[in-house]
Amino acid sequence: MYGACMAPFKLVVVESSAKIAKVSKYLGPGFKVVATLGHFRDLPDDELGIDTASWALKYVLLASKPGVVSKLKQAAEGASEVLLATDADREGEAISWHVAHVLGLSNARRVRFREITPKALKKAVDEATPLDRHLVDAQQARRVVDRLVGYQVSPLLRAFGSNHSAGRVQSPTLQVVVKRELERDNFKATPFWTLTAHYEAGFAARAAKADDKGNWSVARFDSQQAAAGAEAAARAQPHLVEALDTARVEAKPKPPFTTSTMQQAASAQLGVKPKQTMVLAQALFEKGVITYHRTDSVALSDEAVALARSIISATRPELLPTEPPRYRSSADAQEAHEAIRPTAASVDPETVLSADELQLLGLINRRFLASQCKPALIDRTTVRTAAGNVRFVASGDVVVFDGFKCFLDSDEDSADPEQQEDDGARLPKLQLRQQLPFRRLELRGEKTQPPSRFTQATLIKEMTRLNIGRPSTLEPTVSTLFDRQYLAEEKKAVYPTPRGRLIATALCAGFPSLMEAAFTAQLEARLDEIAEGRRDWKVELSDWHRPFEKLLARAPSTIAEAANPTYVGDH
């Protein structure tokens, strides 16, 4: 408790206690920092807590956070001002709103920072603004929908046993995985054959065909007889270089990381699952090493661009473009945020990072610097050989200027190595009409492959593509599906369990719109418009709730029917 004789101070309220030391150090004397430990007020566990006529909400203090409010009140005694510095997103805005309520702050000022550095904190304090009620309304609307779905739909699943749940983001995500598995179940493999010539000159070319526009691609023979005929014809004729083309192409760098692409890259390059990636990123953010790690924007601030250019100029000035590259986020991205990036050219020597944190930081650094480099220049050579009426094609790449590849040589987002763009092998020097003796002709029988299963990282990528959820909900949603035993994993491949398929079938029967990715994406878009002040949250809730109530009224019978072992549903 602070007495009147103590020097005046400003109280800064953050979310995580891990930020206290760093924020206190950077703000210096005259500031005291205290943490809410995340959300400390929410809807009650033992009742709905929502008046669906007026949309009045009942909030209670969380039993899991005892003493938080008394700690906040004690810390605020004697403060000349309380600055609300929770995370710079909707959830953070709502937490600040709750702090203002319990402390009785009539003119609360909001401090928003996306990196914990002295400059960023000072700027945020100097530019403190009133609470953004639109962001709070958007968070409340999201919480209401999540509560109504979870509180009113989940109990209907008790017919299938305990520990079942439905969710606004969770259920359509489950459906995405189930649909992929059904595509695999129904997939009919088709056999085909390919023919490859292995030349003594040291490269291989594959039998090819031309489309109507004269573009050549690898030929797939529908029958072994047709393939064997092409092999016999190619074996009987000399192989001559028929066409030889070299074109210089630009390979442009990718944007800096968003939450989703960081998770994909960490999975592919470091073998780290999305949940652990977010734990590491949270630690890096709290230690002041990276910017806020929950973002769907690829934008960089002018300060960030200047940082990248200074590092590149000092190390590899030839990689620096005249004008910095600019990246455009998706239409659904929240542009007020910034991409994930380092906060400084080097880490403060006093900052202790674990080996895993250093690995992730290195990945973020490399992507950040690569995004601000010149494109790589590649000489791409395509050769076409002719053996009678059989054609073969091969291509090869020669990197003539590294550009961004100095920092990143691979498509590090791809969690599936087969999806990565393959740089062609280097071709030997060839001339038109040159005869090419072959070592062997390889006739291979293959089959078309079903759609691949998702990994956790590519599932999050698909959720992002379909606009299901937001950066803060992507990984927790996938984790919940595993916790509920709706999904399982084998060698990184994610598949629905029989339990998960059954629940998806039941929910499709009772709440078809809830399971549609497009429906959830439209709701996300409306929440964004509420956050921007373009829609009224209570009007939107009423519009959503009316059809939901109708589904809820008939859902028990349809879900009970789906629970019948003889039921066969189309989901």
Side-chain angles (χ1 to χ4, degrees):
M1 188 165 301
Y2 297 87
C5 62
M6 294 192 65
F9 66 93
K10 292 183 179 181
L11 180 68
V12 179
V13 182
V14 297
E15 284 187 41
S16 170
S17 58
K19 297 177 186 175
I20 291 177
K22 207 79 166 181
V23 172
S24 296
K25 174 185 174 182
Y26 289 159
L27 288 179
F31 290 88
K32 178 178 174 60
V33 185
V34 67
T36 68
L37 307 179
H39 281 280
F40 62 95
R41 284 177 92 223
D42 198 5
L43 300 172
D45 289 334
D46 55 355
E47 61 177 300
L48 185 63
I50 300 169
D51 182 340
T52 55
S54 65
W55 298 114
L57 309 183
K58 178 181 179 180
Y59 287 112
V60 298
L61 300 178
L62 295 179
S64 60
K65 304 283 179 68
V68 168
V69 172
S70 60
K71 182 180 177 182
L72 288 171
K73 288 182 176 179
Q74 183 180 13
E77 288 184 14
S80 61
E81 185 177 16
V82 178
L83 298 173
L84 306 176
T86 50
D87 289 352
D89 55 17
R90 291 179 203 165
E91 297 298 317
E93 203 75 17
I95 293 171
S96 282
W97 179 69
H98 285 293
V99 172
H101 177 82
V102 299
L103 293 184
L105 305 177
S106 57
N107 295 304
R109 290 215 302 156
R110 184 76 166 94
V111 173
R112 300 179 184 86
F113 55 86
R114 294 181 175 85
E115 56 184 285
I116 302 176
T117 62
K119 183 177 179 180
L121 289 173
K122 183 181 185 305
K123 185 172 186 285
V125 169
D126 290 344
E127 297 178 357
T129 63
L131 274 165
D132 187 333
R133 189 54 194 260
H134 298 313
L135 288 178
V136 176
D137 289 346
Q139 190 276 340
Q140 290 194 108
R142 181 203 62 77
R143 185 69 187 97
V144 166
V145 174
D146 287 351
R147 166 53 67 100
L148 290 174
V149 172
Y151 208 89
Q152 296 184 316
V153 178
S154 295
L156 302 178
L157 301 176
R158 289 173 185 160
F160 302 94
S162 61
N163 195 33
H164 285 297
S165 67
R168 175 184 64 91
V169 178
Q170 169 192 322
S171 297
T173 301
L174 173 61
Q175 180 68 352
V176 166
V177 181
V178 170
K179 276 187 174 181
R180 175 62 60 90
E181 199 68 15
L182 287 171
E183 290 173 6
R184 290 172 57 83
D185 291 346
N186 297 327
F187 182 80
K188 303 296 183 185
T190 303
F192 66 92
W193 286 260
T194 59
L195 178 62
T196 304
H198 296 267
Y199 292 115
E200 290 184 0
F203 73 100
R206 304 185 76 179
K209 62 180 181 180
D211 60 19
D212 294 340
K213 296 181 180 179
N215 299 314
W216 291 86
S217 61
V218 174
R220 291 185 171 188
F221 297 96
D222 294 334
S223 69
Q224 187 173 11
Q225 182 179 5
E231 179 191 20
R235 193 175 297 278
Q237 298 288 335
H239 290 230
L240 303 176
V241 176
E242 182 179 65
L244 190 61
D245 298 306
T246 298
R248 182 156 292 182
V249 296
E250 280 190 349
K252 294 183 178 180
K254 287 192 170 185
F257 282 138
T258 62
T259 301
S260 174
T261 55
M262 177 183 66
Q263 291 169 344
Q264 294 160 45
S267 175
Q269 299 297 305
L270 307 179
V272 179
K273 292 183 178 180
K275 185 173 185 176
Q276 181 61 16
T277 297
M278 294 307 286
V279 170
L280 295 172
Q282 178 77 32
L284 291 174
F285 171 65
E286 290 174 348
K287 292 176 181 180
V289 177
I290 64 170
T291 52
Y292 194 51
H293 53 295
R294 294 186 179 94
T295 178
D296 51 8
S297 172
V298 295
L300 290 174
S301 65
D302 291 341
E303 181 181 348
V305 170
L307 172 64
R309 289 177 69 83
S310 68
I311 297 172
I312 297 167
S313 179
T315 54
R316 293 291 301 271
E318 73 278 10
L319 304 180
L320 198 64
T322 304
E323 293 294 329
R326 299 288 181 180
Y327 298 96
R328 181 177 297 176
S329 300
S330 69
D332 304 303
Q334 298 175 40
E335 286 289 358
H337 291 192
E338 195 177 355
I340 302 169
R341 62 166 178 85
T343 57
S346 60
V347 178
D348 184 339
E350 295 182 9
T351 302
V352 178
L353 301 179
S354 70
D356 288 342
E357 289 166 0
L358 282 169
Q359 275 198 314
L360 182 60
L361 177 61
L363 200 63
I364 293 168
N365 280 339
R366 292 192 295 274
R367 177 68 167 250
F368 169 61
L369 293 175
S371 76
Q372 294 302 302
C373 286
K374 290 179 179 178
L377 298 179
I378 298 169
D379 280 349
R380 181 158 295 162
T381 300
T382 302
V383 59
R384 186 171 73 247
T385 64
N389 62 355
V390 183
R391 301 292 188 275
F392 295 83
V393 293
S395 64
D397 289 350
V398 175
V399 177
V400 295
F401 178 67
D402 283 344
F404 75 93
K405 287 180 175 286
C406 173
F407 295 103
L408 290 173
D409 192 36
S410 62
D411 179 1
E412 76 285 356
D413 283 4
S414 178
D416 181 356
E418 293 181 2
Q419 293 178 357
Q420 294 195 23
E421 184 179 346
D422 182 27
D423 288 339
R426 188 164 186 165
L427 293 174
K429 288 187 177 182
L430 300 169
Q431 294 181 344
L432 287 173
R433 307 303 301 167
Q434 177 181 346
Q435 185 169 335
L436 295 172
F438 59 85
R439 293 173 183 164
R440 61 189 174 93
L441 294 175
E442 178 187 10
L443 184 63
R444 173 184 284 184
E446 302 181 51
K447 291 181 179 179
T448 54
Q449 297 298 309
S452 60
R453 282 173 167 160
F454 296 108
T455 64
Q456 288 193 39
T458 58
L459 176 56
I460 286 174
K461 181 180 182 179
E462 183 70 358
M463 293 169 69
T464 303
R465 186 186 72 82
L466 294 172
N467 200 23
I468 301 175
R470 284 294 179 262
S472 61
T473 61
L474 297 173
E475 180 279 318
T477 296
V478 174
S479 291
T480 297
L481 291 170
F482 277 93
D483 292 343
R484 295 294 186 197
Q485 298 178 359
Y486 295 161
L487 299 182
E489 184 176 43
E490 182 178 359
K491 296 180 179 178
K492 287 192 173 184
V494 174
Y495 61 93
T497 63
R499 172 187 175 101
R501 294 178 74 145
L502 183 62
I503 293 302
T505 299
L507 289 173
C508 280
F511 297 90
S513 60
L514 178 65
M515 304 299 281
E516 294 175 6
F519 177 81
T520 303
Q522 289 167 8
L523 180 58
E524 291 286 4
R526 288 196 290 273
L527 290 173
D528 288 344
E529 291 179 347
I530 293 170
E532 294 163 3
R534 292 192 286 143
R535 288 181 182 266
D536 181 275
W537 71 292
K538 293 185 177 182
V539 171
E540 292 304 312
L541 284 175
S542 296
D543 289 347
W544 172 85
H545 190 243
R546 280 190 290 271
F548 176 74
E549 273 192 311
K550 293 179 181 178
L551 290 175
L552 199 62
R554 63 179 179 83
S557 60
T558 54
I559 287 181
E561 183 182 359
N564 189 320
T566 62
Y567 175 80
V568 178
D570 180 13
H571 60 282

